[in-house]
Amino acid sequence: MADYHKLAGMMAHHEELAIFRRFDTLNLKNLLYMQAELIHLEAELRQMELDEKISADPNKPVHPMSVYDLREVTCTGKTTQWAKYQEVQGKLQAYNSAVIQYFALRKVAKPAANSIECLQEWLDRPEGGDFFLKGREADTWEAVNDLVALDRRQPSDDALTSLINEKLVPWYHRRWAQRFKVKYYVFGCFPHIN
């Protein structure tokens, strides 16, 4: 019976078929929400600093001169400025990590068209995935512009080799070789894999 375990095993054995969604829209929306949250936190922190500077209370220390004093006053419960800074610090760290991760994700190569086709064939074949994915999960690899390949086989720069491997061999397989159960190999893609 096919399941995610079988799919993962096949991807581990045929690395060029380790193809995943990049979730561009969700990643960008996440960055936008995090950015908006930081904009508000930054404004709150600035307002707290400004309120402290213009305070008429002569006993109220001016914290921007000393982080130590700022931390100590927070410990006594007299101010929340340090607590607000710590909140900003955590959110900023998460935001920066998300920006760097998304930047790196955008650099991951897109899969070759024949690798996507090969993966989709495997998912549909009874000896492969046997249509085990249901509902929305079954459409995972339909978003071809939102996919990344963890092991991108680089197509040849030679136009003739690309034409043969990407067009003629798959056409031959679909048109003739399937009738005779002939197995073929294109850029590491094994349509017959179990």
Side-chain angles (χ1 to χ4, degrees):
M1 183 172 120
D3 57 13
Y4 276 108
H5 179 77
K6 185 174 181 181
L7 175 59
M10 183 276 296
M11 287 179 167
H13 188 67
H14 300 283
E15 295 168 348
E16 68 281 3
L17 300 183
I19 300 169
F20 297 90
R21 287 278 310 272
R22 188 170 48 213
F23 294 101
D24 280 331
T25 302
L26 284 177
N27 272 301
L28 290 168
K29 189 183 291 187
N30 182 50
L31 289 174
L32 290 168
Y33 287 166
M34 293 173 87
Q35 175 181 268
E37 187 176 17
L38 277 166
I39 288 169
H40 289 283
L41 289 171
E42 180 183 38
E44 290 171 21
L45 185 59
R46 283 187 179 162
Q47 187 61 51
M48 291 172 85
E49 291 168 350
L50 183 61
D51 290 348
E52 189 170 272
K53 275 185 180 178
I54 60 173
S55 172
D57 185 357
N59 297 325
K60 197 168 193 176
V62 179
H63 294 118
M65 300 300 204
S66 172
V67 171
Y68 177 80
D69 288 341
L70 180 62
R71 286 178 47 207
E72 289 303 308
V73 172
T74 300
C75 292
T76 63
K78 294 181 182 172
T79 184
T80 59
Q81 190 175 330
W82 182 252
K84 180 60 69 180
Y85 172 72
Q86 287 179 311
E87 181 183 359
V88 168
Q89 188 179 38
K91 302 282 185 186
L92 189 59
Q93 187 175 19
Y95 173 77
N96 290 340
S97 292
V99 167
I100 290 167
Q101 287 173 5
Y102 185 64
F103 178 78
L105 186 60
R106 294 288 301 165
K107 298 289 183 191
V108 176
K110 293 186 176 197
N114 64 326
S115 291
I116 298 169
E117 182 181 315
C118 184
L119 175 60
Q120 290 170 333
E121 280 182 35
W122 182 89
L123 288 165
D124 294 348
R125 274 200 318 276
E127 67 276 6
D130 195 24
F131 294 97
F132 85 91
L133 294 171
K134 304 294 182 223
R136 291 185 175 144
E137 293 173 41
D139 298 332
T140 300
W141 292 275
E142 300 298 323
V144 294
N145 292 324
D146 196 31
L147 298 174
V148 293
L150 299 187
D151 182 43
R152 171 80 158 102
R153 303 286 182 194
Q154 296 300 321
S156 170
D157 290 334
D158 174 17
L160 180 60
T161 304
S162 293
L163 174 70
I164 291 169
N165 282 330
E166 294 179 15
K167 302 289 184 201
L168 293 178
V169 173
W171 173 83
Y172 168 78
H173 177 73
R174 282 190 303 275
R175 183 82 170 113
W176 303 104
Q178 278 186 334
R179 294 180 185 179
F180 306 107
K181 306 264 189 254
V182 174
K183 299 172 182 177
Y184 76 102
Y185 174 80
V186 180
F187 289 139
C189 181
F190 291 86
H192 65 279
I193 53 181
N194 294 330

